[in-house]
Amino acid sequence: MNHTGMNVTFYLPDHQQVDQIEAADPDRDWRLFSTGVQVWVGQTYLRLKHQGFAVGLSATVPSAGIVVMHADHVPRLLAERSLWSNLTIVSARADRPPQPHADIEIVQNRTSAEGVRVLHIQHWPQPGLVRRDPARGTKVENVAFKGAAGEMAPAFASDLWGSRMAELGVQWHCDAAQWVGNAAQYATNWHDYRSTDVILAVRKDLQGRYPRKPASKLINAWLAGVPAILGPESAYGELRRSELDYIEVTSAEEAYRAIEKLKNDPDLYMAMVQNGQKRAEEVSARTCTNAWADLLFRQLQDRVPTSMVALFPKTMRCRVSRMIRRQP
């Protein structure tokens, strides 16, 4: 597949990680893609590359073209780029504050997007995802949380919650890891849904809508063929079309009743699974790849300026503009 126009480079200022990603396959080496930097930069690069798009990955700042990076690395790029570089900077904000020095910001929640400079692209699904074993039918025996340990509401980490699940005839699985940084790999089984019957994910602050967070738990549940019980987050609400998409809860008691209902109502369980199968194509890795390709190889190519002023970094253009205004 040939693409003309501005070069597209993914910037990750870590030679070791660049080498690891270059040799990786997202679905085979899924453990490598468990942090924001690895997912937004490494996985996006590989998915596009595997689809035949002309993209590069570099630990050094390119001199020209479209450069994609995690928000954490924008300051380093600005410090290291050449005075005469001609770059269109695309920053994946993830759950960081806004990055005013980027030309384009990619956010993982539509609530944060404004449609011109700040754009929403769906977060990638879990790479290497293994679907629930269909032979399990509608049984509800294993309920799991898959995510960062510090994000889960404390009620679900208590002995009382485990005891209540046992009384219901359910095993509670907390597949969680403590966050230790973007360069780490985490010893979890976030990809494996073979024996998972229900996903439960409720964050600590039940009053917060978490506008910086993605809809990953719901996306993965649909793709895995597993009903989801989730807290009231904006990203989930943005995707919701019916009550079959997920069950929303605001307390441990509501979560308990939702699990009990799924366990006692096999028709509801199957209806949620079948609905998730229909919604899954909307949130697949291919759909996400197409969205990135459209942005980088169509939308931004059309926006690239052709005047000589584009040869100057924005910071220099601002200084020159101020100097001109000060002239008598």
Side-chain angles (χ1 to χ4, degrees), residues 2-308:
N2 294 319
H3 300 277
T4 60
M6 297 291 285
N7 293 332
V8 176
T9 304
F10 286 79
Y11 172 63
L12 201 173
D14 182 322
H15 289 279
Q16 182 177 358
Q17 283 200 72
V18 165
D19 290 343
Q20 287 178 326
I21 290 168
E22 284 285 18
D25 176 272
D27 293 315
R28 182 193 65 206
D29 307 305
W30 61 269
R31 287 191 185 277
L32 184 59
F33 303 95
S34 55
T35 72
V37 169
Q38 296 160 350
V39 168
W40 282 110
V41 178
Q43 183 170 187
T44 307
Y45 161 71
L46 286 175
R47 297 286 187 192
L48 287 167
K49 179 182 177 182
H50 291 172
Q51 287 297 314
F53 290 93
V55 292
L57 178 65
S58 177
T60 58
V61 179
S63 60
I66 297 168
V67 58
V68 185
M69 75 213 69
H70 191 277
D72 288 355
H73 296 145
V74 173
R76 182 160 175 176
L77 176 133
L78 294 175
E80 294 184 358
R81 74 176 182 176
S82 165
L83 183 65
W84 305 105
S85 62
N86 179 18
L87 299 174
T88 297
I89 299 173
V90 179
S91 170
R93 186 187 293 180
D95 58 359
R96 303 295 191 264
Q99 175 47 260
H101 299 294
D103 296 287
I104 297 292
E105 284 191 273
I106 304 303
V107 292
Q108 52 195 14
N109 190 306
R110 287 193 182 96
T111 302
S112 304
E114 43 85 334
V116 178
R117 195 192 72 85
V118 182
L119 308 175
H120 169 258
I121 292 182
Q122 172 208 298
H123 197 280
W124 290 103
Q126 170 64 44
L129 188 146
V130 181
R131 288 176 51 83
R132 180 177 183 263
D133 181 357
R136 295 188 64 76
T138 60
K139 65 177 64 173
V140 176
E141 297 176 346
N142 297 308
V143 177
F145 168 80
K146 292 177 179 286
E151 294 290 332
M152 187 172 61
F156 300 103
S158 69
D159 292 338
L160 176 60
W161 177 254
S163 297
R164 293 196 71 191
M165 288 293 95
E167 291 171 4
L168 196 58
V170 170
Q171 284 193 305
W172 169 239
H173 302 271
C174 186
D175 186 5
Q178 200 70 43
W179 173 257
V180 294
N182 263 321
Q185 293 186 36
Y186 295 87
T188 66
N189 286 304
W190 291 341
H191 74 305
D192 191 348
Y193 289 77
R194 282 174 294 186
S195 61
T196 299
D197 300 316
V198 177
I199 281 294
L200 172 62
V202 183
R203 296 188 194 272
K204 292 178 291 186
D205 180 7
L206 293 173
Q207 304 305 313
R209 296 289 294 176
Y210 294 93
R212 293 182 181 178
K213 296 295 186 182
S216 298
K217 306 294 191 301
L218 178 57
I219 289 168
N220 293 335
W222 285 344
L223 290 164
V226 176
I229 299 172
L230 306 169
E233 298 185 27
S234 60
Y236 302 142
E238 290 165 5
L239 289 174
R240 193 170 201 177
R241 294 181 187 168
S242 79
E243 293 183 354
L244 294 177
D245 286 331
Y246 64 94
I247 299 173
E248 182 173 288
V249 300
T250 59
S251 68
E253 183 58 36
E254 288 182 7
Y256 178 89
R257 290 200 297 269
I259 295 167
E260 185 178 43
K261 185 174 183 179
L262 284 169
K263 187 174 181 66
N264 295 329
D265 189 343
D267 290 339
L268 172 62
Y269 187 98
M270 185 54 65
M272 291 189 71
V273 170
Q274 292 173 343
N275 175 75
Q277 290 172 343
K278 295 176 184 176
R279 299 297 308 274
E281 183 54 36
E282 301 172 33
V283 296
S284 68
R286 178 174 289 277
T287 299
C288 197
T289 302
N290 291 341
W292 272 102
D294 182 69
L295 173 70
L296 297 176
F297 291 98
R298 187 183 66 79
Q299 296 181 45
L300 293 191
Q301 299 287 344
D302 294 340
R303 293 191 192 188
V304 172
T306 58
S307 65
M308 289 299 292

